């Protein structure tokens, strides 16, 4: 079906079980018949298609025989009710799926698509098992708000949460609250002023009294989130699927990006759903060299080639066509072979090629420890920090002073916040001049070395603070000195063992595991593997004040002396997923 006339129905009502009415726009072929429905539910306005679903051509979906429904979630734009992020989306999603299946032009089969928040509305709805939801296509999404959205390993995701609230959520809240008068104009001027100065507002503490939202007297959920501690399981589990994967038994095509802020949860969703489904047929994964919602072949300071673009994946198809093939099979029963394709497609950076795989992580992975070494002066890129497969003997410790008032700046990586240099591969060599950044570097590689899979750092460290953070960053250093970030992670000492709080520190040596999530990169001959260790990345994460409290509740800070141990007794290392080849040697 091509070049069909499209009927657009605006503000079609859908009544939830509690009587609240949500409104959707419906796009459908202007021909007689019944069609499967592709549904997305989002908080970013159904009336702005280029913003709300910019990575897909929904008109092509209609031209290929689907009804497309785009719905404003509860409390957003045209829909009734009060917006509470994620907490209503499971039941509302169930009700909307069943409503969509009952429409007179529907075949009764419903699929869902969407990215980020509206990637998660799929998973939350699917967990409730609506009978007519057949398949989903979640892109760059989450699984628990404590896993990269509000927190990451106990560290508050400052830049993402503040930016999203102020930039993406606030405008509609103000429109809903104020009529078109001077009061609304005044409120929007305040919002604009806050957005123009958001880089200054990142530094404000205590966060639970953040002026941009207090002044506007809006976004109660923002402060409600902050007032619920990480260990409040009943609160956070309401919007989590971490313990509910056994209920997600349906076909799903997972889409991610190596520089996406949700690459960890996206990969985890695939792995866990593959355990309860048939990964050889109905669970698929594609990961490109992309940032959050950005599918260009150029990311940060690097170009990966036109074949890396979401508009021309491996010079074969775009993301829209991938959706069409997926839903043609599961919603129309077409034997187009997609279920027989290898379940995993990844873009391998460095050599810049797409590659099909049969699983994730790759079975042939050789998990290899690269140990930290120095003579006690690993500070800065000109220090004596080294990285090698040779185990440590007795070595001097490295130390640095972490000052929360002068945190290490975030530059690139898998980030999502307002400001310059915020996402993708950026050169870290300037940051590596700082004395509070420890730099451990391998010798130049004699042959290419592929690192594809989950990356973790085991770090033995002590501090004179009651609580603190430690960060780790994997970097590809080229012969010209450019140091491109690949992936990073952080751990809050208080939550080093999960969502329950540990006792305050008292100078003891503690083992930390820092999850850097994952990457796929070939370190080319002459390149070096580089690991940075520090205690901050601002404004990606709120600086830890080192006092035992957090910047959420306090503005008081103190400097901390951080000591990193690397010896036979304390073998600090980075665990790299090496993909073996005959030539992979240092």
């Amino acid at each position: 079906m091509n070049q069909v006339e499209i009927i657009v129905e605006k503000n079609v009502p859908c009544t939830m079980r509690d009587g609240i009415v949500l409104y959707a726009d419906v796009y459908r072929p202007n021909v007689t018949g019944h069609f499967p429905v592709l549904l997305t539910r989002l908080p970013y306005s159904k009336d702005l298609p280029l913003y709300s679903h910019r990575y897909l051509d929904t008109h092509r979906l209609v031209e290929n025989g689907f009804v497309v429904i785009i719905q404003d979630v509860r409390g957003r734009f045209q829909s009734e009710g009060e917006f509470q992020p994620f907490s209503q989306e499971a039941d509302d999603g169930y009700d909307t799926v069943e409503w969509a299946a009952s429409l007179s032009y529907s075949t009764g089969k419903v699929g869902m698509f969407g990215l980020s928040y509206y990637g998660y509305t799929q998973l939350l709805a699917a967990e409730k098992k609506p009978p007519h939801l057949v398949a989903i296509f979640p892109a760059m999404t989450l699984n628990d708000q404590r896993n990269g959205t509000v927190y990451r390993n106990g560290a508050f995701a400052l830049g993402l949460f503040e930016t999203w609230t102020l930039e993406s959520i606030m405008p509609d809240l103000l429109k809903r609250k104020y009529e078109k008068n001077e009061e609304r104009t005044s409120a929007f001027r305040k919002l604009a002023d806050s957005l123009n100065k958001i880089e200054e507002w990142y530094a404000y503490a205590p966060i639970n009294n953040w002026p941009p939202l207090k002044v506007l007297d809006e976004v109660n959920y923002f402060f409600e989130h902050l007032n619920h501690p990480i260990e409040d399981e009943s609160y956070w589990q309401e919007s989590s699927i971490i313990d509910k994967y056994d209920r997600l038994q349906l076909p799903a095509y997972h889409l991610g990006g190596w520089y996406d802020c949700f690459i960890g949860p996206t990969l985890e969703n695939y792995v866990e759903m593959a355990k309860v489904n048939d990964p050889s047929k109905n669970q698929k994964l594609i990961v490109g060299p992309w940032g959050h919602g950005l599918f260009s072949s150029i990311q940060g300071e690097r170009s990966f080639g036109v074949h890396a673009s979401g508009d021309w994946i491996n010079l074969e198809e775009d993301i829209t066509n991938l959706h069409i093939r997926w839903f043609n099979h599961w919603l129309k029963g077409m034997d187009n072979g997609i279920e027989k394709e290898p379940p995993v497609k990844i873009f391998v950076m460095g050599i810049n090629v797409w590659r099909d795989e049969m699983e994730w992580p790759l079975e042939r992975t050789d998990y290899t420890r690269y140990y930290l070494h120095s003579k006690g002066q690993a500070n800065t890129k000109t220090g004596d920090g080294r990285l090698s497969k040779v185990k440590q003997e007795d070595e001097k410790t490295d130390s640095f002073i972490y000052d929360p008032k002068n945190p290490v700046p975030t530059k690139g990586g898998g980030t999502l916040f307002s400001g310059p240099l915020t996402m993708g591969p950026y050169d870290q060599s300037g940051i590596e001049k700082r004395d509070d950044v420890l730099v451990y570097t391998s010798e130049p590689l004699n042959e290419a070395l592929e690192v594809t899979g989950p990356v973790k750092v085991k770090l033995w460290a002590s501090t004179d603070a009651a609580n603190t953070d430690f960060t780790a960053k994997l970097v590809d250093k080229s012969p010209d000195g450019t140091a491109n970030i690949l992936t990073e992670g952080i751990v809050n000492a208080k939550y080093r063992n999960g969502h329950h709080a540990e006792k305050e520190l008292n100078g003891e040596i503690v083992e930390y595991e820092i999850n850097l999530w994952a990457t796929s990169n070939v370190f080319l001959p002459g390149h070096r593997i580089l690991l940075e260790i520090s205690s901050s990345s601002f404004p990606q994460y709120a600086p830890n004040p080192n006092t035992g409290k957090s910047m959420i509740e306090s503005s008081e800070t103190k400097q901390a002396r951080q000591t990193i141990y690397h010896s036979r007794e304390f073998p600090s290392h980075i665990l790299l997923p090496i993909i073996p080849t005959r030539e992979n040697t240092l």
Side-chain angles (χ1 to χ4, degrees), residues 120-177:
Y120 203 41
T121 55
Q122 301 170 66
L123 294 167
L124 291 170
E127 185 271 321
K128 293 295 183 180
K129 291 183 172 292
H132 294 91
L133 181 60
V134 177
I136 59 176
F137 207 123
M140 296 181 172
T141 194
L142 57 147
N143 53 22
D144 189 296
Q145 292 192 75
R146 295 169 295 181
N147 190 26
T149 306
V150 181
Y151 294 95
R152 181 172 174 188
N153 293 335
F156 180 60
L158 175 80
L160 187 158
F161 195 47
E162 290 188 344
T163 294
W164 181 72
T165 304
L166 199 63
E167 191 173 75
S168 298
I169 302 303
M170 276 299 298
D172 180 57
L173 292 181
L174 295 181
K175 288 180 181 178
R176 296 168 75 92
K177 181 174 181 177

Side-chain angles (χ1 to χ4, degrees), residues 6 55 110 163 223 255 262 265 365 369 425 431 553:
I6 298 174
Y55 70 109
V110 179
T163 294
F223 301 106
L255 183 154
F262 297 136
T365 304
R369 291 183 175 91
I431 289 173
E553 59 190 345

Side-chain angles (χ1 to χ4, degrees), residues 7 53 104 134 250 262 268 331 393 400 499-500 514-515 534 539:
I7 295 175
H53 44 91
S104 62
V134 177
L250 78 169
F262 297 136
E268 188 175 6
L331 273 65
E393 295 298 328
F400 62 93
H499 295 153
H500 63 278
I514 308 177
N515 188 344
S534 193

Side-chain angles (χ1 to χ4, degrees), residues 82-96:
E82 181 181 354
F83 179 64
Q84 292 292 330
F86 304 112
S87 63
Q88 315 113 316
E89 307 304 357
D91 288 342
D92 286 357
Y94 181 105
D95 293 350
T96 303

Side-chain angles (χ1 to χ4, degrees), residues 9-42:
E9 296 177 286
K10 300 289 292 183
N11 298 317
V12 180
C14 173
T15 303
M16 300 294 99
R17 64 188 67 180
D18 61 356
I20 292 294
V21 179
L22 309 186
Y23 289 92
D25 290 349
V26 177
Y27 301 76
R28 58 188 178 91
N30 187 19
V31 295
T32 302
H34 296 84
F35 308 94
V37 174
L38 297 182
L39 166 69
T40 192
R41 306 184 59 255
L42 73 169

Side-chain angles (χ1 to χ4, degrees), residues 143 242 245-246 248 267-277 283:
N143 53 22
I242 290 288
Y245 285 113
D246 60 333
L248 295 171
L267 293 171
E268 188 175 6
N269 290 341
Y270 170 76
V271 169
E272 294 302 320
M273 289 183 67
K275 293 177 181 178
V276 297
N277 291 275
Q283 295 297 304

Side-chain angles (χ1 to χ4, degrees), residues 174-181 183-184 187 216 218:
L174 295 181
K175 288 180 181 178
R176 296 168 75 92
K177 181 174 181 177
Y178 300 110
E179 298 294 333
K180 291 183 178 180
N181 54 27
E183 195 174 19
R184 177 191 279 193
L216 293 166
E218 285 293 345

